[in-house]
Amino acid sequence: MLRVGSKAACMACRNLVSTNMGLRFRIPLQKLHPLSRAIHHRYSGNTNPQRPPHRTAARYFTSMSRLPMRPPKPSPGSGGRNYQQQRNFWVARLAARLLKLRYILLGTAVGGGYTAKKTYEEWKDMLPDFSEYNWVIPDFVWELSEHIDLDKLAKALPEMEEIAKLLPDFDKIGENFTFLKSLLSSDKEKVDQLQEELLRTQLKYQRMLERLEKENKELRKVVLQKDDKGIHQRKVKKSLIDMYSEVLDILSDYDANYNTQDHLPRVVVVGDQSAGKTSVLEMIAQARIFPRGSGEMMTRSPVKVTLSEGPHHVAIFKDSGREFDLTKEEDLAALRHEIELRMRKSVKEGQTVSSETISLSVKGPGIQRMVLVDLPGVISTVTTGMATDTKETIFSISKAYMQNPNAIILCIQDGSVDAERSIVTDLVSQMDPQGRRTIFVLTKVDLAEKNLTSPSRIQQIVEGRLFPMKALGYFAVVTGKGSSGESIDSIKEYEEDFFQNSRLLRDGMLKAHQVTTKNLSLAVSDCFWKMVRESVEQQADVFKASRFNLETEWKNNYPRLRELDRNELFEKAKNEILDEVISLSQVTPQHWEAILQKKLWERVSTHVIENIYLPAAQTMDSGTFNTTVDIKLKQWTDKQLPHKALEVAWETLQEEFARFMAEYKGKDQDDIFDKLKEAVKDESIKRHKWNERAMDSLRVIQHNALEDRSITDKPQWDAAIQFMEETLQTRLKDNESVIKDMVGPDWKQRWLNWKNRTPDQHVRNETKNELDRLLKLHDNHTAYLANDEVTTVRKNLEGRGVEVDPVLIKDTWHQLYRRHFLQKALSHCNLCKRGFYYYQRHFVDSELECNDVVLFWRIQRMLVITANTLRQQLTNTEVRRLEKNVKEVLDDFGEDLEKKTQLITGRRVQLAEDLSKTQKPWKNRNVHLKV
């Protein structure tokens, strides 16, 4: 322990002064020691070692001020000698005490030095900590910083020797005591000068740091451009922030039952309308990318902006491949116009705002990596032209984003308006009452400083003492002068100039790390990635648990099947359908022609028999028969036959297509594709149109085939007779079936099967018997009954007690005569089997006039030629066109998510879809978010 006034104490005092001041100033020991001893003699009772020297000196100065300044009068009775001794003693004591003022002055100097040192340390602490951003600044910057010696900085301050020169001569203190007071006041001015010098030094090094960061930004840009051009020939991987944003986009489409998209961090920008939210975001993105309006609502839907570093300053939408060059004004204008169009398109009719998110990525050199969501501004009143629920909708959208426990809330407050008018602060305090994830930003500080009469109000705001809300940090920014034509660089320059000259920063109301959008972006990015680190692992555990449950369900229900989601199943079904279409080209020509010929005859046989053959054959005249046949064939070929042939060909192609699909289905194919295949088939058929030119050429071919009447050989004759017999027998069988239905069961069926005739069938049967007798009497009867014959048959039936209508008689006669005629035609067909010889030599024999055989040969030949023509068109053209249509339909279905959801359904599909979604963000896309 050092005693006050001792030599050691004086040495300590001297060292303390020189150490705290950091100056080259020493007090001579021989001058200081006696003074200290005198102080010790006066205040020998003060032994407290904790009391600082300057406080002791101050106490001594106070005590000394109470002493009388005039010598006391000598007491009466004392001698002159005693009076002279007392006078000498008083003069010596006064001189000693005046000399002790030197110590008071030194103590004051020590206190001033200590205050200057403390102020310097406070300004030094106010500088932001850039240790966490070493990755931004290259190594040579830190090497440069190592050569900056703080001691040299301290030496650059004014020397204490200069201050000592201003001190008065202590031998003349008694002569001019007022000069001492002026000297003390000058110390205070020196301290103020030191503070100003420290502020200028801080700004100097801050500008130096900004310059180095700018150079680093340019160097990084060059490196990224080289990597982008492949100079280093290495694969440039997707940046972490892009992958993280992609995960957010995937989770936004994920099943809402899992609610995973609400637990990953993003920066949510909220604020009152026209508070400067968009301007702050643009300053962070370093581009004027958002549409602007004067006092009107411009942000009508949430805009998710993914910021990342890149060699070029560009912007691109999530669902578009176009890049907007943010260094070009025309691209900026186009980008703002596109954002405005997307916002208006997302707003439903009758609404003002929308909850649909617009995703945008912005890349550029020096941009901080983060994901921000710009929300519509909070309003207090619904104005004309807005939907009545606009205010509630904005509150609902804002709460939906802010209630995410990992969302960082960037609360924007307009500093140019009264704080009491703020709406967003109450909303933010409700969602984050503890302020653990809120960053408060005060905008338009330049207007606030200009308009506010009490600048301390701004200090209260940034210190969190004015608003009823808490926050992680408070920032004050300036986002321009209010002109929409200002560039980002000009706004930055204006902001820096304002804060350098602002008395808010000069008077200590704002700290250096609380101002400028640059410091804000650094703080927000740091907070964002800190939140990402804390939340991603938790969300990964949730995904793993969900996936484990889904995998267990899959293994229990579908142990032998792969986990194919809806898109993978669609691709599998697409390949199968294309294989089935390709199989059509492998069908043999014989198969095509046989099917076409059979189906075409089934389609036209009724017309040939009813409208061509029977009317011509019932004329009973050979010349009339040929003329009637030629006329009717010509009319048929011109109007109906080509259309019927093309319809048959198209139906045949469809049936074969469906047959191949059915065959594939039978080969252990998955029935989950049935609805998709049926839809593809129907849509392809609907889109397919037969070539119109084929109809004209087919009409000519058919007409030429029917004009030919020359049968060249006996096999063709026999084939025509066989074709005619088969056709007539089929018609006769059909006719017998009709007659049987008309007259009812015969006596065998009535006895054996216990069936009875209806009254109508009884009348029909009686009429049939009477008409059969008429045909037996007149074997060559015409096809129609005369009126007198109808009357005769009716009277005969009435004589037997059967009342019959004349129409029923004619209808029954038509079926009976048809049977009679077909039976005679079959008999004549048997006779014509030996008539080829007479036909070839043009012999005229009434019993062997086989014109009907020639007609059926012409029909048969037309069928063969038509089938061959259609087969060629099918294999050469239509099958390929159908294949093309199927591919187009599959491509359209592949792009239509709703269509795929409708056509590929089932628990198996949904389970595989959920498995795929839980796997994609973490496994398939290799997104390992370890920051």
Side-chain angles (χ1 to χ4, degrees):
M1 181 180 301
L2 299 176
R3 294 180 58 87
V4 177
S6 63
K7 184 174 181 180
C10 294
M11 289 296 292
C13 180
R14 185 187 62 175
N15 294 335
L16 178 62
V17 171
S18 60
T19 302
N20 288 341
M21 293 296 294
L23 304 174
R24 301 174 183 176
F25 182 80
R26 287 185 174 271
I27 301 174
L29 182 60
Q30 60 274 14
K31 293 184 179 181
L32 183 63
H33 178 60
L35 184 60
S36 299
R37 186 169 54 200
I39 295 175
H40 173 65
H41 179 75
R42 177 65 178 84
Y43 299 100
S44 58
N46 181 18
T47 57
N48 186 3
Q50 301 298 327
R51 178 177 298 171
H54 65 278
R55 293 183 59 185
T56 304
R59 181 173 178 181
Y60 172 75
F61 179 76
T62 304
S63 300
M64 187 189 68
S65 64
R66 300 193 186 101
L67 295 177
M69 299 306 294
R70 290 181 297 179
K73 295 181 180 181
S75 60
S78 59
R81 183 177 181 181
N82 292 336
Y83 174 78
Q84 184 66 30
Q85 291 178 353
Q86 290 178 0
R87 182 180 178 184
N88 294 337
F89 176 78
W90 182 87
V91 173
R93 187 170 59 179
L94 178 61
R97 291 179 180 178
L98 289 176
L99 291 175
K100 292 174 184 178
L101 290 175
R102 187 169 184 172
Y103 184 82
I104 297 173
L105 181 60
L106 293 176
T108 304
V110 171
Y114 178 80
T115 303
K117 178 64 176 181
K118 185 177 179 180
T119 304
Y120 170 75
E121 294 294 336
E122 289 179 355
W123 279 102
K124 184 177 178 181
D125 293 339
M126 283 192 296
L127 288 174
D129 185 9
F130 295 100
S131 59
E132 299 183 6
Y133 307 101
N134 294 346
W135 57 274
V136 178
I137 304 175
D139 295 337
F140 72 86
V141 178
W142 299 116
E143 294 176 359
L144 178 62
S145 65
E146 292 177 358
H147 296 286
I148 299 176
D149 192 353
L150 294 179
D151 293 336
K152 294 183 179 179
L153 174 64
K155 294 176 181 179
L157 297 175
E159 297 291 338
M160 195 59 188
E161 294 178 354
E162 298 178 4
I163 300 177
K165 292 179 181 179
L166 298 177
L167 295 177
D169 189 359
F170 291 104
D171 297 332
K172 298 180 181 181
I173 290 178
E175 299 176 359
N176 195 356
F177 186 74
T178 56
F179 182 75
L180 177 61
K181 294 181 180 180
S182 63
L183 183 61
L184 293 176
S185 62
S186 64
D187 289 341
K188 183 178 179 180
E189 295 177 357
K190 289 294 182 180
V191 171
D192 294 339
Q193 292 177 1
L194 286 173
Q195 291 180 353
E196 294 180 359
E197 184 68 23
L198 287 173
L199 180 60
R200 287 194 298 270
T201 304
Q202 180 185 1
L203 294 176
K204 174 183 177 182
Y205 281 103
Q206 186 173 358
R207 285 193 294 268
M208 183 183 297
L209 181 60
E210 291 176 355
R211 180 177 58 80
L212 294 174
E213 288 179 351
K214 184 177 180 181
E215 293 177 358
N216 176 49
K217 177 180 175 181
E218 296 296 330
L219 291 174
R220 290 180 62 86
K221 180 178 179 180
V222 173
V223 172
L224 290 172
Q225 287 177 344
K226 290 181 178 179
D227 288 343
D228 191 44
K229 296 177 181 179
I231 294 179
H232 295 294
Q233 297 181 355
R234 64 173 184 174
K235 183 179 180 181
V236 180
K237 298 182 179 179
K238 188 180 295 185
S239 65
L240 180 62
I241 188 62
D242 290 335
M243 291 188 289
Y244 181 79
S245 178
E246 189 176 356
V247 170
L248 293 180
D249 291 334
I250 295 170
L251 295 179
S252 65
D253 299 330
Y254 194 62
D255 190 352
N257 294 331
Y258 294 92
N259 200 27
T260 52
Q261 67 273 20
D262 293 333
H263 298 289
L264 287 177
R266 72 266 285 159
V267 180
V268 180
V269 185
V270 295
D272 298 332
Q273 183 177 342
S274 302
K277 300 184 295 73
T278 303
S279 298
V280 171
L281 204 155
E282 287 180 336
M283 290 294 292
I284 296 176
Q286 301 180 16
R288 308 298 295 269
I289 59 178
F290 290 102
R292 315 192 68 81
S294 178
E296 60 177 325
M297 178 181 292
M298 298 304 298
T299 306
R300 297 180 178 270
S301 65
V303 181
K304 183 174 75 67
V305 182
T306 303
L307 301 179
S308 59
E309 192 174 22
H312 306 288
H313 202 184
V314 296
I316 184 172
F317 288 98
K318 169 190 171 184
D319 55 354
S320 174
R322 178 185 177 183
E323 284 190 352
F324 296 88
D325 189 351
L326 302 183
T327 60
K328 298 180 180 179
E329 186 58 36
E330 56 271 17
D331 279 20
L332 279 171
L335 177 61
R336 290 192 289 265
H337 181 66
E338 180 67 20
I339 293 176
E340 185 175 2
L341 289 179
R342 288 174 179 257
M343 286 184 180
R344 296 188 180 278
K345 184 178 179 181
S346 65
V347 177
K348 298 181 180 178
E349 185 177 358
Q351 299 294 321
T352 306
V353 294
S354 170
S355 60
E356 183 178 345
T357 304
I358 299 174
S359 295
L360 177 70
S361 296
V362 176
K363 298 182 180 181
I367 296 180
Q368 298 299 318
R369 305 172 303 156
M370 66 186 88
V371 178
L372 302 99
V373 182
D374 186 21
L375 299 180
V378 180
I379 61 175
S380 58
T381 304
V382 177
T383 58
T384 304
M386 291 185 179
T388 56
D389 61 342
T390 301
K391 180 179 178 181
E392 290 75 14
T393 304
I394 294 175
F395 269 81
S396 176
I397 295 173
S398 301
K399 288 182 178 179
Y401 277 92
M402 289 191 293
Q403 69 184 2
N404 175 9
N406 295 321
I408 301 170
I409 303 174
L410 197 62
C411 180
I412 309 298
Q413 172 62 33
D414 189 350
S416 63
V417 299
D418 295 336
E420 289 75 12
R421 295 168 55 187
S422 175
I423 305 173
V424 70
T425 51
D426 293 336
L427 179 62
V428 172
S429 61
Q430 294 175 9
M431 305 307 298
D432 185 24
Q434 301 299 325
R436 296 176 179 175
R437 51 190 181 89
T438 301
I439 296 177
F440 182 87
V441 181
L442 185 67
T443 61
K444 306 178 184 178
V445 182
D446 52 342
L447 299 179
E449 183 185 31
K450 180 180 179 181
N451 298 332
L452 289 180
T453 57
S454 176
S456 60
R457 192 172 178 85
I458 298 178
Q459 184 178 8
Q460 293 177 356
I461 294 176
V462 297
E463 290 179 356
R465 294 187 285 110
L466 187 62
F467 289 108
M469 60 169 288
K470 298 179 181 179
L472 284 173
Y474 297 84
F475 289 87
V477 299
V478 175
T479 55
K481 300 179 181 178
S483 174
S484 60
E486 290 181 284
S487 64
I488 296 296
D489 294 335
S490 63
I491 295 175
K492 284 183 179 180
E493 184 178 355
Y494 173 71
E495 183 183 39
E496 292 177 359
D497 292 342
F498 168 76
F499 282 116
Q500 286 179 5
N501 301 318
S502 173
R503 61 193 181 98
L504 296 173
L505 192 64
R506 186 172 60 251
D507 295 345
M509 297 181 184
L510 295 177
K511 297 181 180 179
H513 66 274
Q514 287 184 305
V515 297
T516 72
T517 52
K518 181 177 182 180
N519 291 335
L520 171 65
S521 62
L522 290 172
V524 173
S525 177
D526 181 63
C527 186
F528 170 76
W529 286 109
K530 181 180 178 182
M531 192 73 75
V532 169
R533 287 194 298 268
E534 295 174 354
S535 61
V536 166
E537 292 184 0
Q538 179 183 358
Q539 295 305 312
D541 294 338
V542 174
F543 270 98
K544 289 178 182 178
S546 300
R547 180 166 178 79
F548 176 78
N549 295 334
L550 295 173
E551 286 179 343
T552 302
E553 183 179 356
W554 182 274
K555 291 178 181 178
N556 293 335
N557 297 327
Y558 313 102
R560 298 183 179 181
L561 297 177
R562 290 180 56 197
E563 303 167 1
L564 301 178
D565 60 8
R566 186 173 279 109
N567 292 330
E568 293 170 334
L569 289 172
F570 179 81
E571 292 299 324
K572 182 179 179 181
K574 179 180 179 180
N575 294 332
E576 290 185 6
I577 294 173
L578 292 177
D579 290 342
E580 293 162 6
V581 175
I582 293 174
S583 299
L584 288 174
S585 60
Q586 301 176 358
V587 178
T588 60
Q590 295 80 5
H591 180 76
W592 279 119
E593 291 181 7
I595 296 176
L596 289 169
Q597 186 174 344
K598 179 181 178 181
K599 291 182 68 64
L600 181 60
W601 176 240
E602 290 175 355
R603 183 65 59 86
V604 303
S605 60
T606 300
H607 181 83
V608 170
I609 299 299
E610 300 294 336
N611 298 329
I612 298 177
Y613 172 67
L614 289 179
Q618 290 173 1
T619 59
M620 300 302 178
D621 182 78
S622 176
T624 305
F625 177 86
N626 290 331
T627 302
T628 303
V629 165
D630 291 342
I631 293 173
K632 290 185 175 296
L633 286 177
K634 181 68 168 58
Q635 294 176 351
W636 183 45
T637 305
D638 293 340
K639 296 181 180 181
Q640 298 182 8
L641 183 57
H643 294 280
K644 295 291 183 180
L646 293 182
E647 290 177 2
V648 167
W650 180 222
E651 291 176 2
T652 302
L653 181 60
Q654 297 178 40
E655 291 177 359
E656 287 299 302
F657 184 30
R659 181 175 67 85
F660 276 102
M661 285 189 172
E663 290 179 356
Y664 270 83
K665 182 180 178 181
K667 297 178 181 179
D668 298 330
Q669 293 300 309
D670 204 334
D671 57 358
I672 204 171
F673 302 144
D674 291 349
K675 292 174 64 175
L676 176 61
K677 290 184 177 181
E678 191 67 23
V680 171
K681 184 188 72 174
D682 295 342
E683 184 64 23
S684 302
I685 292 171
K686 181 180 178 181
R687 295 185 183 185
H688 186 84
K689 292 183 180 180
W690 206 276
N691 190 1
E692 296 295 335
R693 297 179 181 177
M695 185 178 295
D696 298 334
S697 61
L698 182 61
R699 181 182 291 109
V700 175
I701 293 173
Q702 290 173 338
H703 181 75
N704 294 334
L706 292 173
E707 286 290 327
D708 189 6
R709 300 185 183 86
S710 59
I711 305 176
T712 57
D713 53 15
K714 186 66 167 56
Q716 293 184 8
W717 181 271
D718 294 339
I721 292 176
Q722 182 181 359
F723 175 60
M724 179 178 175
E725 284 181 341
E726 293 175 354
T727 302
L728 295 178
Q729 288 175 356
T730 302
R731 291 294 167 178
L732 181 59
K733 182 185 286 187
D734 294 340
N735 184 257
E736 291 286 355
S737 178
V738 172
I739 295 174
K740 184 178 180 180
D741 293 337
M742 290 174 58
V743 301
D746 56 9
W747 65 272
K748 290 182 179 180
Q749 291 178 341
R750 292 199 302 272
W751 281 96
L752 296 176
N753 299 330
W754 295 84
K755 292 181 178 180
N756 294 324
R757 289 174 176 158
T758 63
D760 183 65
Q761 289 176 341
H762 177 72
V763 174
R764 291 271 189 179
N765 184 63
E766 293 298 329
T767 305
K768 168 183 169 296
N769 294 333
E770 186 65 25
L771 293 175
D772 282 340
R773 285 192 288 271
L774 179 61
L775 281 174
K776 289 180 181 179
L777 294 175
H778 304 282
D779 186 61
N780 294 327
H781 199 284
T782 60
Y784 302 100
L785 284 175
N787 291 331
D788 55 349
E789 291 177 334
V790 173
T791 304
T792 301
V793 172
R794 181 181 179 186
K795 289 181 178 180
N796 292 337
L797 292 174
E798 289 178 352
R800 294 199 296 271
V802 179
E803 294 292 336
V804 64
D805 186 74
V807 177
L808 187 144
I809 295 173
K810 293 181 179 180
D811 185 50
T812 305
W813 167 259
H814 176 73
Q815 297 298 333
L816 293 177
Y817 182 81
R818 178 186 288 265
R819 181 181 66 179
H820 175 70
F821 179 81
L822 292 174
Q823 290 173 348
K824 288 180 64 177
L826 284 172
S827 300
H828 180 69
C829 186
N830 290 328
L831 294 175
C832 287
K833 289 182 179 180
R834 55 186 178 85
F836 178 72
Y837 176 77
Y838 299 99
Y839 166 79
Q840 194 176 25
R841 287 164 178 76
H842 304 286
F843 288 164
V844 179
D845 189 344
S846 59
E847 294 183 359
L848 291 177
E849 287 184 356
C850 299
N851 294 322
D852 49 358
V853 176
V854 177
L855 170 63
F856 278 92
W857 179 82
R858 294 166 67 183
I859 297 295
Q860 186 182 35
R861 186 168 180 271
M862 182 273 300
L863 293 175
V864 173
I865 294 175
T866 301
N868 181 269
T869 304
L870 293 176
R871 188 266 306 168
Q872 293 180 11
Q873 186 174 357
L874 281 172
T875 56
N876 296 336
T877 306
E878 302 305 328
V879 171
R880 296 179 181 178
R881 293 182 62 218
L882 177 62
E883 181 179 352
K884 181 180 179 181
N885 290 337
V886 170
K887 289 181 179 179
E888 292 177 354
V889 171
L890 288 172
D891 292 339
D892 294 343
F893 284 3
E895 296 175 357
D896 192 345
L897 180 61
E898 183 179 356
K899 199 75 173 179
K900 289 192 289 186
T901 305
Q902 294 175 355
L903 298 177
I904 305 178
T905 58
R907 177 55 187 166
R908 169 188 159 192
V909 179
Q910 189 61 43
L911 188 59
E913 194 77 7
D914 293 342
L915 280 169
S916 176
K917 287 180 178 179
T918 56
Q919 184 182 31
K920 279 182 180 179
W922 313 109
K923 184 177 179 180
N924 289 352
R925 297 179 183 267
N926 295 322
V927 182
H928 302 288
L929 295 178
K930 294 183 180 179
V931 184

